Amino acid sequence: MNRIYADNCATTKVLPKALAAMIPFFSGEYGNPSAIHSFGLEAKKALDRARNKVAQSLGAMSSEIFFTSGGTESVNWAIYSAAELGQSKGRHIISTAVEHKAVLEFLAKLKSKGYEVTLLTPDRLGRVYPEQLAQIIRDDTILVTMMLANNVVGTTSNLKEFCRISHAKKALFHTDAVQAAGHLPLDVRALDIDMLSISSHKFHGPKGVGALFVKIPKLPKAMIEGGGQERGARSGTENVPGAVGMAVALQEAVRDNQENFTRLTKMRDRLIEMVLTVPKAELTGDPVNRLPGHASFVFEGIGHGANLVSRLNEDGICVSSGAACSASSKEGSHVLAAMGFEGQLAQNTLRVSLSRFNTLQEVELIAQRIAFWVPKIQQARR
Ligand code: PLP
């Protein structure tokens, strides 16, 4: 059976060009970048080139890019650094109720250590507003952390005004750009952001590698101690092939951004149009300001979205019922619950996330199969 992969918010296929760029660093140039012989020097050069490419793709300087093991570490590290840096200013942190668990769980940990955390509540489309931030930000707020694009419902945010309000109170601003990087144009200078987290496997790079942008002169505070790699800020031998693959993937994504954006938006809107003809279907997230390849729905009366995901899987269609890390959980989505989808409805969710490798024909087939299965499941549960 030919399978259709449409779970690109969970992870993406590695771009052949990124894979080809990585291969020499597994078997030929496999040196440790800290070593001073030729193997080490070649690895160090490759790492520097990768850092440069990532920096250029984000409008940053290469000294502002730190490699990590992925989005979760970058996000944890950004919050940790802000907490360390802000010690004399205060212990108040602001975020939103729709963040990824990488943010919310780290904030919960800080809360247990005496930090105060305030979460902005979104509206039904997953949007939060600068006025909400202006109302609650305080002199002792040290950090505002808000995602650029939501992984569950696809809603994207314009963060400029949030950054301005945060800086007026001398609070740092971090964004979890894990779902946005490579899909939306990103410029750290235009955003005037202090920290930004990305993860390679969300934009056709390899898994297990990411980056944290930290605006100089604020060095991130070391959360992992050891041999002092990454200028003493993040110990551990660097993942050279990973960084090389990520840099190529990001560069390609930025180069093709406009073309991919237009094509994916068209396919996404066709999918939404077709799926909304299904009985009791509702689009979740902002219909306009959303990730180009992201379509998410709730269907009343289907029970947990996993029921539908399993039926589609029998057809060879691979989609998800929400965030990959909670795909097997019986609980509803905390994102949908925060947006006001009550009880069971926060569980009846389906997410289709497309990439540059999908075709319109695939998208129409996905929609047809959703339209086939949903009434069947609804009927069986009556
Ligand atoms: N933040 C968001 C918005 C995500 O969607 C994810 C992964 O799904 C992460 C953070 C964590 O990234 P990683 O899987 O690279 O640890």
Side-chain angles (χ1 to χ4, degrees):
M1 175 169 50
N2 278 338
R3 292 185 299 169
I4 299 176
Y5 185 80
D7 194 13
N8 289 281
C9 280
T11 198
T12 55
K13 169 174 163 172
V14 175
L15 210 61
K17 192 168 172 183
L19 182 61
M22 292 169 72
I23 284 173
F25 298 96
F26 287 110
S27 53
E29 296 299 345
Y30 50 81
N32 184 323
S34 299
I36 56 168
H37 48 63
S38 62
F39 279 86
L41 295 175
E42 284 306 318
K44 171 85 171 58
K45 270 196 235 158
L47 203 60
D48 289 345
R49 281 195 301 271
R51 202 183 304 280
N52 255 323
K53 280 185 190 160
V54 171
Q56 268 175 19
S57 304
L58 299 174
M61 292 191 280
S62 60
S63 55
E64 297 171 319
I65 301 299
F66 296 85
F67 291 123
T68 68
S69 65
T72 302
E73 184 189 330
S74 296
V75 163
N76 277 217
W77 192 15
I79 301 171
Y80 174 85
S81 296
E84 290 284 306
L85 280 163
Q87 277 184 0
S88 57
K89 184 175 188 272
R91 299 192 129 215
H92 181 229
I93 299 177
I94 298 174
S95 189
T96 81
V98 292
E99 299 298 308
H100 189 271
K101 291 280 168 90
V103 169
L104 294 178
E105 293 300 319
F106 200 81
L107 290 179
K109 194 166 171 177
L110 287 185
K111 223 168 148 181
S112 72
K113 291 185 173 157
Y115 283 82
E116 203 184 328
V117 175
T118 311
L119 299 180
L120 303 179
T121 309
D123 65 11
R124 180 129 178 131
L125 300 182
R127 300 175 302 198
V128 289
Y129 297 89
E131 300 75 50
Q132 290 174 278
L133 177 62
Q135 256 174 23
I136 58 162
I137 196 162
R138 317 187 309 220
D139 290 337
D140 65 339
T141 304
I142 53 172
L143 171 71
V144 177
T145 176
M146 289 176 55
M147 68 202 327
L148 203 41
N150 188 277
N151 51 314
V152 177
V153 295
T155 300
T156 57
S157 305
N158 181 347
L159 296 178
K160 229 175 158 181
E161 185 58 10
F162 293 99
C163 283
R164 196 195 60 72
I165 295 167
S166 306
H167 289 156
K169 282 282 184 194
K170 300 200 165 25
L172 291 173
F173 195 98
H174 164 252
T175 188
D176 171 351
V178 165
Q179 292 292 345
H183 305 284
L184 302 175
L186 268 188
D187 184 330
V188 292
R189 295 279 174 260
L191 278 170
D192 192 22
I193 219 149
D194 299 296
M195 292 183 282
L196 176 140
S197 295
I198 64 170
S199 176
S200 155
H201 72 111
K202 306 293 188 180
F203 49 81
H204 304 289
K207 294 173 186 53
V209 60
L212 177 65
F213 156 81
V214 183
K215 188 171 165 181
I216 54 161
K218 301 175 197 89
L219 251 189
K221 295 290 165 193
M223 189 169 72
I224 300 174
E225 301 293 352
Q229 287 89 344
E230 294 295 285
R231 288 152 281 157
R234 199 268 186 188
S235 289
T237 302
E238 298 90 338
N239 175 358
V240 179
V244 167
M246 169 167 72
V248 171
L250 187 58
Q251 204 176 36
E252 292 292 301
V254 168
R255 195 198 62 197
D256 300 342
N257 184 262
Q258 195 52 55
E259 188 188 328
N260 286 335
F261 188 94
T262 309
R263 192 171 157 266
L264 285 173
T265 303
K266 266 196 198 136
M267 293 200 293
R268 174 201 74 192
D269 289 345
R270 174 71 181 136
L271 181 87
I272 292 174
E273 181 195 350
M274 287 177 75
V275 172
L276 288 183
T277 62
V278 173
K280 309 226 162 123
E282 179 180 344
L283 179 73
T284 56
D286 192 315
V288 180
N289 298 310
R290 69 181 301 133
L291 284 169
H294 189 297
S296 53
F297 309 91
V298 287
F299 303 96
E300 212 182 303
I302 62 160
H304 196 286
N307 295 330
L308 180 54
V309 171
S310 301
R311 296 287 88 77
L312 291 167
N313 188 46
E314 289 167 20
D315 293 335
I317 293 170
C318 303
V319 293
S320 79
S321 61
C325 44
S326 56
S328 53
S329 142
K330 284 276 162 266
E331 283 171 38
S333 155
H334 71 276
V335 173
L336 288 171
M339 287 162 56
F341 289 82
E342 284 175 356
Q344 180 87 55
L345 208 50
Q347 297 179 12
N348 301 8
T349 173
L350 186 80
R351 178 182 73 184
V352 180
S353 45
L354 308 169
S355 82
R356 60 196 292 162
F357 295 111
N358 289 114
T359 63
L360 185 60
Q361 200 187 4
E362 287 178 340
V363 165
E364 291 184 341
L365 184 62
I366 295 171
Q368 281 161 13
R369 297 312 291 170
I370 293 172
F372 172 81
W373 284 117
V374 168
K376 283 213 163 10
I377 300 172
Q378 283 165 337
Q379 228 166 35
R381 293 182 58 84
R382 248 184 235 133

